[in-house]
Every structure is written in C-alpha cells, then in structure tokens.
C-alpha cells in the first residue's frame, strides 16, 4: 500500500486538534485515563457509541454516549449484525468509524480529550453495512444486503468521508435486505501492511483476498480460497501479518458449531493463501470472534455458545497452539460473549457480552493466561449491541 496518510494526519492534528463544542457527555471523574473502550448500541431507533475510560489496571468506568446520526439494526438479541469490525478505530486511534446497518450509512467520529465529535455520516455505498476496515486515509465498507458489495472511501483533511471512484466490488450474494445473516460475509479487514483487503465469506466457506493497488483500489475480482474449517466467521492478523481465522462450523459436516476451530494462513503477494495451522480445535461451541494485537504473541476467541474465551499462542511462523485446554476464561450461562478486542501492546483484552449488556476486562499475562479486571455495564441485555474498539 502506497497511499498517503496525509489526510489522516491533518485531520488528527490540524483542523480538529482542539476540543470541539460538539463533544457530548464527556467524562469528568478526574481519574487518570490510560485509554478508552468504545462499544456500539446498534439501536434501531438511533444508533449510539458508548465510551468507557480505561484505567492503568485495565478496569473501566463509563464516560459518555454519542449518537452516530444513523440507525442500528437489532435484528436479533445476540450477534445482531453477524459480523466483526462494525466499530473500528483508525491506526493512530484518533478517528472512530461505525456502521449504521438500519439506515445503510457509516459514521466517522474524531476521538478527542473530552470525548467523541461526530464529523460525518455518509451512505455506505450499498445495503446493510456490517463491517469496516481502516488503513491510512482509506476506509472500506462491507455491505451484505441484496447482492452485497465492498465500497471504498477516502478520509479528507476536512473531516469528510468521500466515496472513492471505481472502488466498489460486487459480491454476488443474491440475498435480501435485511439479509439472512447466517449466510452473509462476516468481516472486511486490511492486512497490517495494507497490501490486501480480506473478506470472510462465512456462508460460502470462502476467504476472499483483494490485492490493493497503489491508488487504493482493490483488484477487479478477489483471489478466493476455500477455508480449511467450515463457516469462516471472522479473522485477525498476528504481528507478522499471518491471517488467523475463526471457523465456527468446525472441521466436519454438518456445520453445527458444536465444536469450532481456528486456522492460520500465510498470504502470498498474489493474494493466495497457504495453510499454516489446519483447524486447531478450541473444544468450544460457536467460536465466532477472534482478536489479536501487534504487540502480542497470542490471539483470543469468544465462544458464544460455551460462554467462554479461548487463547492460542502464535509462533513466528504463524502456527497456533491452544492454551488452557480451550478455556482461558468462563462466564455464567447466558452471558454470550461476542465481539472482543485487545490493546495494541497486547496487555489487555475486552469482551462485549451481548446477553448481559456488559464489557468484561482482562489483563493478559506473559504466559497468555487471563486475569479478570472487572466488568462495566450500561448496555441493554439482549438489546442487539455489537462492535467494540480499544485505544
């Protein structure tokens, strides 16, 4: 990827560097903040982002709620969007992007010292957006309604999302709007170097890789690989750029999700995928979400059906080793951990628990074990919340 990051830099440090009057409900606790967590309500009558301050020990305290200017789509109480990456930060942590699936829009916020400022709300370039990917001054959106497509935008210095000419690529899903979320793709994401754009097609058991041009445009068609496990739901990248995929359906038929697997792949320059670790079993149910971090040698999965988290160690080759017999943390029945995220240094892990409307905090030890650091509430239990991001 050779696109300039000038627009992001100008936006973050220039025109919008000072606190803005649009900041709503900023925190005033006086507690020293080491970072923040953002989660999305996905409410159908008005989508919002809830912010939590992050203390030095990883614990959370509520900081404010900010309307996205669009509508969510709480189509079901757990896993309402069938996706990962519905709420993402820019690489420098100064911009936050949210999907509004109910109104087919994308929102962009500036992340400031006193809270979030809504900068722009734009049409997503398709129907029912569920996931976004940010790299440099580029944003790509995964729309899964109807035929489905990916669509690109440029973040300009004025704080606007501008559609990128000739960036849309159809996915040929042949579905409806709203879609059947069990059959639609679950995530779009850039590789760490920005050279490829990946789409996980869980309904088709396919992984689609779009090599990117220097102008920020994806290849006309993707390089498509059948995933080693069934139903590739979501993915993460390790610090060396290996693709690590949560395959909820396991490695046999039928794809019931009674036991799920994780596979890792090396991405070739042409977009091809070579298997590294083939279907490592988590021994858990509904392993749908997965998170890693540039500063970590571990990845973690949320196993919604088992109400557990699993950890896996990733070696220098991208090979995976399951930790703790598949249970790194467990929750009470009905908690339903879904989305999860790690701090960039790999020290802390956070999960969005859709069943209870809470965010759980964990410290990641040197050996990959998890130390609980409490929970924060505020979300509606079973209300369709989805999306979590950390800075």
């Amino acid at each position: 990827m050779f696109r300039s990051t000038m627009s992001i830099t100008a936006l973050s440090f220039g025109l919008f560097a000072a606190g803005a009057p649009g900041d709503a409900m900023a925190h005033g606790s006086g507690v020293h903040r080491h970072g923040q967590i953002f989660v999305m309500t996905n409410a159908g009558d008005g989508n919002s982002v809830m912010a939590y301050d992050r203390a030095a020990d990883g614990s959370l305290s509520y900081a404010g709620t900010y309307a996205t200017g669009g509508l969510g789509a709480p189509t079901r109480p757990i896993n309402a969007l069938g996706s990962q990456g519905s709420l993402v930060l820019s690489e420098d942590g100064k911009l936050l992007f949210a999907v509004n699936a109910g109104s087919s829009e994308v929102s962009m916020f500036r992340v400031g010292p006193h809270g979030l400022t809504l900068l722009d709300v734009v049409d997503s370039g398709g129907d029912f957006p569920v996931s976004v990917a940010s790299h440099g001054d580029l944003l790509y959106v995964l729309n899964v309604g109807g035929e489905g497509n990916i669509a690109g935008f440029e973040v300009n210095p004025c704080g606007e999302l501008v559609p990128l000419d000739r960036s849309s690529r159809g996915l040929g899903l042949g579905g409806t709007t709203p879609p059947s979320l069990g059959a639609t793709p679950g995530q779009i994401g850039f590789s760490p170097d920005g050279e490829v754009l990946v789409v996980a097609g869980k309904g088709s058991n396919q992984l689609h890789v779009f090599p990117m041009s220097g102008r920020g445009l994806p290849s006309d068609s993707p390089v498509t690989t059948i995933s080693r496990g069934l139903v590739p739901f979501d993915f993460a990248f390790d610090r060396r750029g290996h693709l690590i995929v949560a395959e909820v359906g396991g490695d046999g038929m039928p794809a019931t999700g009674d036991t799920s697997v994780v596979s890792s792949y090396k991405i070739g320059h042409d977009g091809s995928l070579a298997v590294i670790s083939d279907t490592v079993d988590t021994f858990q149910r509904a392993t749908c979400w997965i998170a890693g971090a540039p500063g970590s040698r571990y990845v973690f999965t949320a196993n919604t059906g088992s109400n557990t988290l699993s950890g896996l160690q990733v070696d220098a080759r991208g090979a995976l080793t399951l930790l703790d017999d598949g249970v790194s943390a467990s929750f009470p029945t009905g908690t339903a951990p879904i989305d999860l995220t790690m701090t960039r240094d790999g020290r802390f892990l956070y999960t969005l628990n859709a069943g209870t409307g809470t965010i759980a905090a964990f410290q990641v030890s040197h050996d990959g074990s998890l130390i609980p650091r409490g929970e924060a509430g505020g979300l509606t239990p079973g209300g369709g919340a989805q999306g979590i991001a950390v800075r």
Side-chain angles (χ1 to χ4, degrees):
M1 267 305 285
F2 300 104
R3 283 191 68 85
S4 168
T5 58
M6 285 295 290
S7 64
I8 290 284
T9 303
L11 178 58
S12 300
F13 297 104
L15 296 176
F16 297 93
D23 289 344
M25 296 180 64
H27 76 98
S29 65
V31 176
H32 184 60
R33 182 174 68 191
H34 283 251
Q36 291 173 293
I37 286 285
F38 304 102
V39 296
M40 193 169 66
T41 66
N42 191 39
D45 58 354
N47 193 13
S48 295
V49 173
M50 296 181 67
Y52 297 80
D53 287 341
R54 186 165 61 84
D57 66 354
S59 60
L60 302 176
S61 58
Y62 173 74
T65 298
Y66 306 86
T68 67
L71 304 178
T75 55
R76 49 191 179 184
I78 307 298
N79 190 19
L81 300 179
S83 70
Q84 181 170 286
S86 56
L87 185 70
V88 303
L89 285 156
S90 60
E91 294 167 287
D92 62 6
K94 295 181 180 295
L95 296 173
L96 181 70
F97 306 95
V99 303
N100 301 298
S103 53
S104 294
E105 295 170 314
V106 176
S107 299
M108 179 173 66
F109 293 91
R110 178 180 61 83
V111 183
H114 304 293
L116 300 179
T117 301
L118 183 62
L119 299 179
D120 204 5
V121 184
V122 299
D123 186 281
S124 68
D127 296 323
F128 210 88
V130 297
S131 182
V132 291
S134 172
H135 184 79
D137 58 0
L138 292 175
L139 185 78
Y140 268 81
V141 183
L142 171 63
N143 297 291
V144 299
E147 291 298 319
N149 73 312
I150 64 171
F153 297 83
E154 184 173 11
V155 182
N156 73 14
C158 297
E160 300 170 327
L161 283 170
V162 180
L164 194 59
D165 289 344
R166 302 185 300 281
S167 66
S168 181
R169 301 290 183 268
L171 298 176
L173 301 180
T176 60
T177 302
S180 174
L181 294 173
T184 55
Q187 186 183 359
I188 188 170
F190 279 103
S191 60
D193 59 10
E195 295 290 339
V196 300
L197 191 62
V198 179
V199 174
K202 59 180 183 283
S204 62
N205 296 319
Q206 295 176 335
L207 299 168
H208 307 290
V209 180
F210 292 87
M212 299 293 291
S213 75
R215 295 180 296 130
L217 298 177
S219 58
D220 291 338
S221 58
V223 178
T224 297
T225 302
I226 300 297
S227 64
R228 296 301 297 173
L230 298 173
V231 194
F233 195 97
D234 294 315
F235 56 85
F237 292 95
D238 72 1
R239 51 186 172 176
R240 293 176 175 84
H242 299 116
L243 179 68
I244 306 172
V245 184
E247 295 156 334
V248 60
D251 57 359
M253 294 294 288
T256 62
D258 286 338
T259 182
S260 300
V261 299
V262 181
S263 301
S264 60
Y265 306 83
K266 181 179 180 179
I267 304 177
H269 294 296
D270 60 354
S272 61
L273 298 180
V275 177
I276 302 171
S277 283
D278 192 348
T279 60
V280 177
D281 205 322
T282 64
F283 304 105
Q284 305 298 302
R285 297 183 63 245
T287 299
C288 299
W289 287 268
I290 186 165
S296 178
R297 57 194 178 106
Y298 303 105
V299 295
F300 293 89
T301 67
N303 314 306
T304 311
S306 302
N307 294 290
T308 59
L309 305 179
S310 296
L312 299 101
Q313 184 172 337
V314 189
D315 71 13
R317 300 177 298 108
L320 305 173
T321 302
L322 186 68
L323 304 177
D324 304 310
D325 295 325
V327 181
S328 294
S330 60
F331 300 97
T333 300
T335 300
I338 56 168
D339 271 2
L340 73 172
T341 186
M342 288 182 73
T343 55
R344 290 185 63 83
D345 60 9
R347 292 187 60 208
F348 296 101
L349 175 75
Y350 297 90
T351 69
L352 170 57
N353 300 326
T356 55
T358 58
I359 302 100
F362 298 89
Q363 183 176 339
V364 182
S365 300
H366 292 298
D367 63 358
S369 59
L370 297 178
I371 303 170
R373 293 302 184 196
E375 292 187 347
L379 295 161
T380 301
Q386 195 146 1
I388 184 169
V390 62
R391 70 187 291 267

